[in-house]
Amino acid sequence: MTDATPLIAHHGAVDGVTGSCHELMLGDGRSVLIDCGLFQGAETASDGSDARRPGIGFPVDRIQALILTHVHIDHVGRLPHLLAAGFRGPILCSEASAELLPLVLEDALKVGVTRDAALIEAVLRGLRARLVPLPYADWHPLITGDPALRIRLQQAGHILGSAYVECDLTRAGTTTRILFSGDLGAPHTPLLPDPTPPESADVVVLESTYGDRTHEDRSTRHQRLRAMVEHAFEDGGTLLIPAFSIGRTQELLYELETLVHENRGTKGTGGKWSWEDLAVVLDSPLAADLTAGYRRLRAHWDREAKARVAAGRHPLAFDRMLTVDDHAAHLRMVEYLAREHRPAIVIAASGMCAGGRIVNYLKAMLGDPRHDVLFVGYQAAGTPGRDIQGYGPRGGYVELDGRRYDIRARIHTIGGYSAHADQHDLLDFIGAMSTPPREVILVHGEHDAKTALRDALLQRFPGVKVSIP
């Protein structure tokens, strides 16, 4: 690699958290792409791509393959645009991601591109023809000759099927290992095996979403969730949880099943309702489809979750869980819960309140102090979720579809349910290597998070170069 040819070009997740897209240059004019995600909120790429203009602003003829770390929309959402721009190479991902990806992209195409069923099916057919599912931990030769490239996927513990990518790039007999973290999960995440500790790397492209904070432990977040459910019992209110359809939704269902199981036969606060009366509403067709996908993929669950199934429990399909399919049923559910004084929990997308069914619940319930809103994931700048999270506790307001809504519902955030590693976990990820890398490049984070993580990395690993693109 010459000084004039950068090793990595970043096409997203540089000035913010979303739009992950990184290009590894092979040094001979060819390259491979790691992720191709959508932007959310006010975040943009240097080429002008943003949430409203999700195009591909870089040449695709040099790209030999696309490697996906996981199927969240901010990592895969621009894939149809990449295909439309002429990309014809293989798409490599984990085996679980290969099953979940068509579900995610079908929904993204319907919401953001077209309702033409024949066109959507044509795109999905082209996608499936290019998918190359890879098992974890096995090296896969991708480019042969000089230069040569082999890749390996390892468990990232972020959502089902998530991986970090190790790339061994060999030129003129010298091999450089570049590791792309994708999104790393926290240890002890429900359903998921912990991230696999990395062996070594020369260069690490590291996410930094929560590079400036530490999450609550699993026991603490479990007790905080229980306290919010008790408030629903006390006031006959609804606990609204905006959540992405894949990952946190399934983890929340798992935790709620745990709460119901632990408290079966007992009354909630106030003594009027029992835990068996609590309705858990999953109001998202995509989330329901992906939850069914999670159930089909239970061979990939962790030991704890498999043990619950063996004991006859159904962590993702328990008795009090209701799914809402069509739009008319959704509107009836919103009206019913806003009117009736019956404890309920609603999980609905989008996770940042930037659209989807959660918006109708917010319009109907934000002004009523009986209700609660719980944020369990990152809220990007410029999204309604960020505004509710910031202004709600101060009695502020939010604009939804051009109209102002005062916030009287209680607003909460539990960082422990984030699917992202915190600063401690990120430092330990680098520290697990037998020898620290020579360079860590921080992406996928806001300025303060990246700066805090850079300082922490330099303090713990003083010989490592830490770059912020």
Side-chain angles (χ1 to χ4, degrees):
M1 213 60 56
T2 68
D3 291 338
T5 307
L7 180 65
I8 301 162
H10 304 283
H11 305 298
V14 174
D15 297 322
V17 169
T18 63
S20 285
C21 187
H22 311 284
E23 189 175 2
L24 175 62
M25 305 298 184
L26 304 184
D28 64 349
R30 295 181 295 169
S31 66
V32 297
L33 203 62
I34 293 85
D35 288 339
C36 196
L38 275 180
F39 294 93
Q40 294 172 290
E43 297 178 353
T44 63
S46 58
D47 60 26
S49 299
D50 60 22
R52 293 187 181 88
R53 298 178 298 276
I56 302 297
F58 50 90
V60 303
D61 55 346
R62 65 194 181 204
I63 300 171
Q64 305 301 298
L66 170 64
I67 307 162
L68 300 178
T69 61
H70 65 288
V71 301
H72 271 153
I73 202 69
D74 63 328
H75 289 256
V76 303
R78 278 190 284 168
L79 205 166
H81 300 274
L82 187 70
L83 295 174
F87 172 71
R88 295 294 181 266
I91 301 169
L92 300 94
C93 61
S94 73
E95 294 164 319
S97 288
E99 177 157 342
L100 298 171
L101 180 62
L103 296 174
V104 172
L105 288 183
E106 180 179 7
D107 181 77
L109 288 166
K110 288 178 180 176
V111 171
V113 181
T114 179
R115 286 280 179 178
D116 186 326
L119 181 57
I120 291 173
E121 182 51 37
V123 173
L124 295 178
R125 197 162 49 243
L127 169 73
R128 293 187 184 99
R130 288 174 176 78
L131 278 178
V132 181
L134 300 179
Y136 290 115
D138 290 351
W139 284 105
H140 176 79
L142 188 54
I143 307 291
T144 58
D146 187 6
L149 179 69
R150 65 173 188 162
I151 71 165
R152 180 168 66 174
L153 304 183
Q154 299 278 28
Q155 288 271 12
H158 176 65
I159 64 172
L160 203 64
S162 61
Y164 63 86
V165 185
E166 296 171 310
C167 302
D168 275 2
L169 175 60
T170 302
R171 295 187 70 230
T174 300
T175 299
T176 302
R177 179 169 296 179
I178 306 100
L179 187 156
F180 294 86
S181 74
D183 288 348
L184 296 172
H188 315 302
T189 298
L191 291 167
L192 303 179
D194 288 349
T196 299
E199 297 172 354
S200 64
D202 298 294
V203 179
V204 177
V205 179
L206 182 65
E207 72 128 312
S208 56
T209 308
Y210 289 106
D212 58 348
R213 68 195 74 179
T214 301
H215 297 323
E216 299 105 322
D217 61 32
R218 187 170 176 180
S219 174
T220 300
R221 73 193 187 204
H222 187 73
Q223 292 307 314
R224 289 191 63 198
L225 181 62
R226 176 181 176 140
M228 291 173 207
V229 177
E230 291 281 7
H231 185 243
F233 283 125
E234 182 180 340
D235 288 357
T238 296
L239 174 60
L240 300 176
I241 309 178
F244 292 111
S245 295
I246 184 168
R248 258 151 290 187
T249 287
Q250 290 76 32
E251 291 160 23
L252 283 163
L253 291 174
Y254 186 90
E255 289 285 85
L256 290 167
E257 188 273 343
T258 303
L259 282 171
V260 173
H261 181 79
E262 289 173 347
N263 295 283
R264 60 194 185 280
T266 64
K267 297 282 188 179
T269 305
K272 182 178 180 181
W273 305 99
S274 71
W275 278 82
E276 284 83 353
D277 294 320
L278 177 69
V280 178
V281 180
L282 181 58
D283 193 347
S284 166
L286 176 60
D289 288 345
L290 289 166
T291 300
Y294 258 58
R295 292 199 296 270
R296 291 193 299 271
L297 292 164
R298 58 181 175 268
H300 297 265
W301 293 4
D302 66 4
R303 285 194 296 269
E304 177 189 277
K306 290 176 182 176
R308 292 191 182 187
V309 173
R313 290 167 62 181
H314 304 282
L316 299 184
F318 49 96
D319 289 342
R320 298 304 302 162
M321 192 184 94
L322 309 172
T323 58
V324 179
D325 296 320
D326 63 81
H327 189 67
H330 156 71
L331 294 177
R332 288 194 299 270
M333 182 64 75
V334 172
E335 182 184 2
Y336 173 80
L337 292 178
R339 182 184 69 243
E340 298 295 327
H341 287 244
R342 185 180 185 87
I345 298 172
V346 172
I347 303 172
S350 75
M352 298 184 190
C353 307
R357 293 185 176 182
I358 192 66
V359 173
N360 287 327
Y361 286 101
L362 293 170
K363 290 176 180 178
M365 298 182 184
L366 273 178
D368 188 338
R370 280 191 303 124
H371 305 299
D372 296 73
V373 181
L374 168 61
F375 291 102
V376 293
Y378 177 82
Q379 303 300 306
T383 61
R386 172 69 73 90
D387 290 341
I388 295 169
Q389 189 181 48
Y391 299 121
R394 293 180 272 161
Y397 68 89
V398 64
E399 284 194 6
L400 300 171
D401 294 334
R403 180 179 169 186
R404 171 175 165 165
Y405 291 85
D406 292 332
I407 304 171
R408 297 188 183 91
R410 300 200 309 180
I411 309 300
H412 316 268
T413 299
I414 299 183
Y417 282 108
S418 171
H420 287 272
D422 63 13
Q423 185 187 89
H424 179 78
D425 301 324
L426 294 167
L427 292 172
D428 284 351
F429 183 77
I430 299 298
M433 299 183 189
S434 55
T435 303
R438 68 168 183 257
E439 182 176 9
V440 176
I441 302 169
L442 298 181
V443 297
H444 208 286
E446 294 186 356
H447 174 76
D448 289 349
K450 286 187 285 195
T451 301
L453 182 57
R454 178 193 62 193
D455 294 345
L457 284 164
L458 291 173
Q459 182 175 2
R460 182 164 168 182
F461 309 104
V464 175
K465 177 184 177 183
V466 183
S467 304
I468 299 177

